[in-house]
Amino acid sequence: MNSEWKSVGNGHLEGPIPIPDLDPSKLTITLTKSPKAIPAPETLIFGGVMSDHMLVASFDPVSGWSAPEIKPYGPFTLDPASSCFQYATNTFEGMKAYIGPDGAPRLFRPAKNMARLARSAERLALPKFIGRQPFNPDALLELIKKLVVIDQRWIPNIEGYSLYIRPTIIGTRSALGVSASDHALLYVILSPTGPYFRTGPKPISLLAAAENVRAWPGGTGSHKVAGNYAPGFLPQRIAAKQGYDQILWLLRDENEWKVTEAGAMNVFVVVDREDGDFDLITPPLDGTILPGVTRDSILAIAKAHTTGKLTLPGLSPTRCLHPHERAFAISDLDRWLSEGKLREMFAVGTAAVVAPVGRVGFQDDLKKLARDLVLPSYEAGMGPVSRGVRQMIVDIQEGKFEWDGWCGSFNERLTLREHGNASNWLGRFST
Ligand SMILES: *Cc1c(COP(=O)(O)O)cnc(C)c1O
């Protein structure tokens, strides 16, 4: 049957018979015989320790998606000529599982991550069914839930802690021709993680480096593709040497330096308005900005605060937050500061949730601006808006506040067919 399938280029396939998509009903589970000891929470370093199991499925242009497997975490064997090693046909996601008050795991808006992964894979011309997505996003989400349930003991049940989930797709075509990969490997690994700020929020410093650009119009900045990240490591190291925590990525527009993102996080500023309310401004999704789930969530809850649908902790319901997706430049930051209007600046993403910004240095052609832009400082390390949105997001994630079905709990049943001993095994560890 498979000979009727033909490649139409760029790893895309066309044919009369539906090629097998990712199918959770074909899942096989092999549990580890030697479960690892879970490290003490206070010793966790972001992404440093992996859980016991991983999810793996591979795509072949003839046989489609393989039966997905959950199996013990471990290395892969790959051909050295694999597309992923040579041409960065790699894409990934970052999401988290939390334990709610009901003791069940929950995921925060996971459909957004699935859709973004499919978009990123498409951008890299990874194998795709014509007229469809590279994989069925609902199927992948169902499989991730099963993996999370199996490794549930790895979700620290402590406020501010969670299980970081890293879905990844890599191109595995083993040939050096510079073209799309028609083979792919999909895998999901899990890593327990603690709060970004262990000893309470501490404002971060950013170096706005004009000569290094993260993303540009027509580029891949709005996709979570691996090739976007490696080129940022050298500028990051140079910034660290000068005493800054992260890079503030800029984009030149006429004579302005537009602010885009900070490190691998989206940015927001809080600016005073004439009417006593606040403007909450983040750069628009113009193709250079990664469409963050945290960014989108903050825009939505700011709007909900202003329309009275919820009240952000610590903020008066009468102090409205007006969300805007609007470009701003270094010169705007400078002007707002000198006018005393710039209240807060913060960076947002799944890993940190909200990181307050305390100081911004600007460097143009290795000449440094004489002084750094210094944001107002707050006793508790975070301004009231940063604090309020952060607390609301965390409360929704940890199931303390239900909002719009964003963070539903689940307890996927593992059927006997999948693994006869899975429930016994789970029973041993799910305390
Ligand atoms: C992942 C990422 C973000 C944050 O996205 P979230 O979905 O909120 O985690 C922001 N910017 C970049 C460049 C990223 O890679």
Side-chain angles (χ1 to χ4, degrees):
M1 78 168 209
N2 292 317
S3 58
E4 296 183 55
W5 276 85
K6 66 174 195 286
S7 168
V8 292
N10 270 356
H12 296 180
L13 305 156
E14 204 167 58
I17 304 157
I19 199 167
D21 202 340
L22 200 58
D23 184 353
S25 76
K26 293 190 195 148
L27 175 67
T28 64
I29 300 175
T30 310
L31 297 176
T32 179
K33 294 196 172 62
S34 45
K36 297 181 235 180
I38 295 181
E42 60 279 7
T43 64
L44 293 174
I45 294 166
F46 179 76
V49 176
M50 302 302 157
S51 73
D52 285 320
H53 298 94
M54 61 182 183
L55 170 75
V56 184
S58 58
F59 184 90
D60 175 284
V62 175
S63 49
W65 281 104
S66 68
E69 286 176 273
I70 289 176
K71 59 186 189 182
Y73 183 90
F76 298 123
T77 301
L78 290 176
D79 191 301
S82 293
S83 171
C84 60
F85 299 136
Q86 305 293 335
Y87 306 123
T89 46
N90 305 340
T91 170
F92 64 94
E93 266 306 318
M95 52 205 285
K96 284 174 170 175
Y98 312 81
I99 292 285
D102 57 356
R106 45 184 73 217
L107 294 170
F108 183 69
R109 309 187 76 189
K112 288 208 159 281
N113 299 91
M114 299 299 100
R116 195 168 64 188
L117 184 63
R119 249 185 82 238
S120 299
E122 273 198 66
R123 183 63 185 80
L124 297 181
L126 283 167
K128 178 186 167 210
F129 306 106
I130 288 290
R132 284 201 282 147
Q133 294 186 298
F135 58 89
N136 174 350
D138 297 333
L140 181 55
L141 182 54
E142 193 179 329
L143 290 164
I144 289 176
K145 286 178 177 174
K146 294 215 184 261
L147 178 66
V148 167
V149 166
I150 285 176
D151 273 349
Q152 186 171 337
R153 72 185 187 108
W154 286 88
I155 315 178
N157 194 357
I158 311 171
E159 207 180 304
Y161 285 71
S162 54
L163 185 65
Y164 185 78
I165 306 172
R166 175 54 67 94
T168 309
I169 306 179
I170 62 176
T172 50
R173 174 176 187 260
S174 51
L176 296 178
V178 186
S179 63
S181 183
D182 57 354
H183 286 68
L185 185 69
L186 162 70
Y187 63 91
V188 182
I189 53 178
L190 309 174
S191 175
T193 169
Y196 190 78
F197 297 107
R198 274 184 195 283
T199 51
K202 195 176 138 283
I204 59 170
S205 54
L206 302 176
L207 178 62
E211 77 274 26
N212 289 299
V213 178
R214 188 195 87 88
W216 46 89
T220 54
S222 64
H223 296 83
K224 230 170 164 71
V225 297
N228 287 346
Y229 300 85
F233 298 152
L234 183 60
Q236 163 65 34
R237 190 156 78 192
I238 294 167
K241 274 208 182 118
Q242 296 182 40
Y244 294 91
D245 296 309
Q246 295 280 346
I247 294 277
L248 182 64
W249 298 108
L250 306 178
L251 192 60
R252 181 134 201 183
D253 184 23
E254 307 281 323
N255 290 320
E256 295 284 10
W257 290 106
K258 284 198 302 185
V259 169
T260 62
E261 298 202 51
M265 293 184 273
N266 296 117
V267 288
F268 281 87
V269 288
V270 179
V271 184
D272 272 339
R273 290 160 54 106
E274 309 273 296
D275 61 6
D277 288 348
F278 291 139
D279 280 325
L280 178 68
I281 312 172
T282 193
L285 300 179
D286 62 358
T288 68
I289 306 290
L290 197 286
V293 178
T294 319
R295 173 190 180 279
D296 182 80
S297 305
I298 288 174
L299 287 169
I301 61 172
K303 188 165 170 220
H305 175 87
T306 287
T307 52
K309 297 207 173 77
L310 57 70
T311 302
L312 291 173
L315 280 183
S316 158
T318 57
R319 165 66 51 79
C320 294
L321 283 177
H322 301 272
H324 304 281
E325 299 179 74
R326 184 204 293 160
F328 59 90
I330 288 286
S331 58
D332 293 315
L333 293 181
D334 197 19
R335 180 171 49 83
W336 288 327
L337 263 179
S338 61
E339 293 169 0
K341 285 187 187 166
L342 186 57
R343 289 286 177 135
E344 300 177 36
M345 179 169 182
F346 53 92
V348 311
T350 295
V353 188
V354 171
V357 175
R359 170 167 81 89
V360 178
F362 179 70
Q363 187 173 286
D364 188 358
D365 300 331
L366 300 178
K367 278 198 316 291
K368 210 168 157 314
L369 207 69
R371 61 183 174 82
D372 284 358
L373 305 175
V374 178
L375 279 287
S377 71
Y378 295 89
E379 214 170 295
M382 254 194 204
V385 176
S386 316
R387 183 167 290 277
V389 293
R390 185 195 160 277
Q391 194 61 52
M392 180 53 75
I393 297 278
V394 170
D395 285 352
I396 296 169
Q397 289 171 336
E398 295 182 351
K400 293 174 189 143
F401 187 84
E402 293 289 338
W403 180 252
D404 217 7
W406 276 4
C407 204
S409 69
F410 59 90
N411 234 328
E412 293 287 295
R413 282 261 155 262
L414 298 167
T415 64
L416 279 166
R417 207 189 59 70
E418 282 160 359
H419 195 282
N421 291 325
S423 51
N424 290 342
W425 191 90
L426 284 171
R428 270 202 283 146
F429 293 104
S430 63
T431 46

